[in-house]
Amino acid sequence: GEQEKALQLVNSFIQQSPEDPSVYLQATGVHLANKDQAAAEKSLNKTLSLAPNNVPALLGLGRLQLINQQWSKSTESFRKAVAENPSAAGYKGLITAQQAQKQGDKIISELTAEATTTPDNAILHTVLAEYFARENQADMALKYADSAIATKPVSNYASNTAITIYRSLSRRLLASGDIDRARKRLAAALELAPSNNALLGDLIDLELQSKNYSEATNIADQIELAEQGELAGKYFKGKIFVAQQQWPEAISNLKAAWEISPTDRVGSLYYRTLKKAGDQEQASKLLDSWINALPQSSTPLTFKAVELHQKDSHKAAADYYNQAISLNPSDAMALNNLAWLYFETDNPAALETARKATTLAPGNPAILDTYGWIEVNKGDKAKGMAALKKAAELAPGNQEISDHYQSAKSL
């Protein structure tokens, strides 16, 4: 087939230029495509025998050694690669190899010391920013994101990493009510990407939480006037009117956004807004058009199931829940709702369905409550009590969860 032809071709290149390291690198790619790791490793070693400092070969060999759990050899290959030319792949490979040898703290200590002495090594600073972000060490992630973009010109890698970290931190600060610090971090992200609609959307959310509706509207206007910005602009304006409970204006903008391009995000807000405005007829019609417009989306199916469930149309609701789950098996809330419906109708699948939902969202108090209550009534009371206790701790202000927990104690 094609892979055999490719192999014959690179072999002819090797015969023509046996001292050219690049042809052995080409052969490596073909061997990997053929899943022949032994031949790929042989080609990489041949490349390095001809060009000992060939960085792509060092990185490729390091990755193969990682796959084969040759941790020490992999460490050596990645060290040589970054010594020759610092790269994100080299540093990340080095960290992975050292972590596999339970030397993760040691290599991070080494790399942070190196970063201190090489402030212009933006790649290393960016890798460290990513590492500390993954470890949920926000202060350290922020430190290295800041230092990564201090080196000019700012690379796309450093910029994108910093934006991700600044945005994540801004959202956490906003959720905790620290609007001023959230604004500062968001401003840093927007300085790197001033036309990024996701960041501008976050800024609108921030202004809404501050009840600064006029500034939020100005931002939405800015988005709408940008090239291909009408959809996002209408959506954000709808969101702003929702925050002010100005339902006709909200519905008008969301309807316009929906007509430009039906999406789950627009549909979800449009549907909820129609419900809040008391227009159940239009909300139901929207669901039907949404299901037709996006037949591979589980979201409108779940909304439809909830509507039917609330009307005690249990069989039809179960059908829609199951359709949603077949499209999105990781939809924990659909599984949770289906488990409760099964419990209400004495369906023996209730407990297993609730367990699946809990596996997908073990920290969701509503899902823990459903599972715990069903487990107490249909299965292992001790396990159910543990789940209800955790749910009550996660949502101390939720009366329904509290009632379930207290009631379960008396069973």
Side-chain angles (χ1 to χ4, degrees):
E2 293 298 318
Q3 291 179 336
E4 184 61 32
K5 289 180 182 178
L7 187 58
Q8 291 174 357
L9 184 61
V10 295
N11 282 334
S12 71
F13 290 158
I14 290 171
Q15 290 175 357
Q16 293 169 21
S17 307
E19 300 303 312
D20 182 355
S22 68
V23 296
Y24 296 98
L25 268 180
Q26 290 177 334
T28 299
V30 174
H31 293 316
L32 289 174
N34 289 332
K35 299 182 180 178
D36 189 344
Q37 290 186 12
E41 185 173 359
K42 185 177 179 181
S43 291
L44 287 168
N45 281 318
K46 181 62 177 178
T47 303
L48 292 168
S49 72
L50 295 168
N53 297 324
N54 186 293
V55 173
L58 287 167
L59 292 173
L61 187 59
R63 284 191 286 266
L64 270 182
Q65 290 161 338
L66 276 181
I67 292 169
N68 295 322
Q69 299 185 9
Q70 297 172 312
W71 313 126
S72 296
K73 288 183 178 181
S74 180
T75 297
E76 182 181 355
S77 296
F78 286 124
R79 280 195 184 281
K80 287 180 179 177
V82 297
E84 187 65 26
N85 183 29
S87 68
Y91 285 123
K92 289 178 180 181
L94 183 56
I95 291 170
T96 301
Q98 289 288 276
Q99 286 177 325
Q101 300 174 79
K102 303 194 183 307
Q103 297 290 319
D105 290 344
K106 181 179 179 182
I107 190 61
I108 294 302
S109 178
E110 177 187 322
L111 293 178
T112 53
E114 181 183 337
T116 301
T117 60
T118 56
D120 293 336
N121 187 346
I123 291 173
L124 174 56
H125 288 251
T126 306
V127 169
L128 287 170
E130 281 188 312
Y131 169 81
F132 285 116
R134 284 195 307 274
E135 296 295 312
N136 292 317
Q137 297 185 41
D139 289 343
M140 294 296 286
L142 186 59
K143 171 186 173 180
Y144 286 105
D146 287 344
S147 58
I149 63 170
T151 300
K152 302 295 190 275
V154 180
S155 69
N156 287 338
Y157 174 44
S159 177
N160 291 337
T161 300
I163 287 169
T164 299
I165 290 169
Y166 294 155
R167 187 183 186 202
S168 175
L169 184 56
S170 174
R171 286 182 150 194
R172 268 188 267 172
L173 290 166
L174 186 60
S176 69
D178 193 341
I179 293 175
D180 290 340
R181 290 178 65 207
R183 190 187 300 278
K184 180 181 177 182
R185 288 302 149 211
L186 196 52
L190 281 163
E191 189 174 336
L192 294 167
S195 300
N196 185 303
N197 278 353
L199 296 177
L200 290 169
D202 285 354
L203 185 56
I204 287 173
D205 287 340
L206 189 150
E207 300 298 355
L208 291 180
Q209 190 156 322
S210 304
K211 300 192 185 318
N212 193 351
Y213 302 123
S214 61
E215 183 56 32
T217 302
N218 289 338
I219 299 165
D221 286 339
Q222 173 189 335
I223 293 171
E224 188 172 3
L225 290 172
E227 186 177 354
Q228 297 183 335
E230 187 179 7
L231 169 60
K234 294 292 186 187
Y235 170 80
F236 287 125
K237 284 184 177 179
K239 193 173 186 179
I240 293 164
F241 285 120
V242 167
Q244 300 172 84
Q245 298 186 13
Q246 296 181 15
W247 308 124
E249 295 86 349
I251 289 168
S252 174
N253 279 278
L254 292 170
K255 180 182 179 184
W258 178 259
E259 289 172 349
I260 293 168
S261 179
T263 67
D264 282 337
R265 184 171 75 152
V266 173
S268 294
L269 184 57
Y270 188 15
Y271 173 74
R272 290 190 175 104
T273 301
L274 287 168
K275 294 276 283 185
K276 288 178 181 176
D279 196 340
Q280 180 59 51
E281 182 181 354
Q282 286 302 316
S284 296
K285 286 182 179 179
L286 172 62
L287 285 184
D288 292 334
S289 67
W290 188 352
I291 291 167
N292 288 329
L294 301 174
Q296 296 305 308
S297 171
S298 66
T299 307
L301 296 169
T302 301
F303 280 131
K304 185 78 171 179
V306 170
E307 280 198 356
L308 291 165
H309 194 170
Q310 290 171 343
K311 295 175 182 176
D312 292 330
S313 299
H314 292 129
K315 186 180 183 305
D319 287 343
Y320 275 104
Y321 281 133
N322 278 307
Q323 287 180 55
I325 292 162
S326 69
L327 288 172
N328 181 12
S330 61
D331 187 339
M333 194 52 69
L335 281 162
N336 175 77
N337 292 352
L338 180 60
W340 190 254
L341 185 153
Y342 283 160
F343 175 69
E344 291 176 318
T345 56
D346 292 321
N347 188 315
L351 185 54
E352 183 55 33
T353 306
R355 283 175 180 157
K356 287 180 182 177
T358 309
T359 301
L360 290 167
N364 185 306
I367 288 173
L368 283 168
D369 174 60
T370 298
Y371 163 66
W373 187 246
I374 295 173
E375 188 77 81
V376 164
N377 284 273
K378 300 289 186 180
D380 186 320
K381 183 177 179 182
K383 288 182 179 178
M385 288 299 298
L388 289 171
K389 182 175 184 291
K390 185 177 179 182
E393 290 171 349
L394 289 169
N398 188 304
Q399 190 61 49
E400 184 178 5
I401 291 175
S402 177
D403 290 345
H404 277 164
Y405 182 41
Q406 295 305 321
S407 297
K409 290 179 179 179
S410 63
L411 291 176

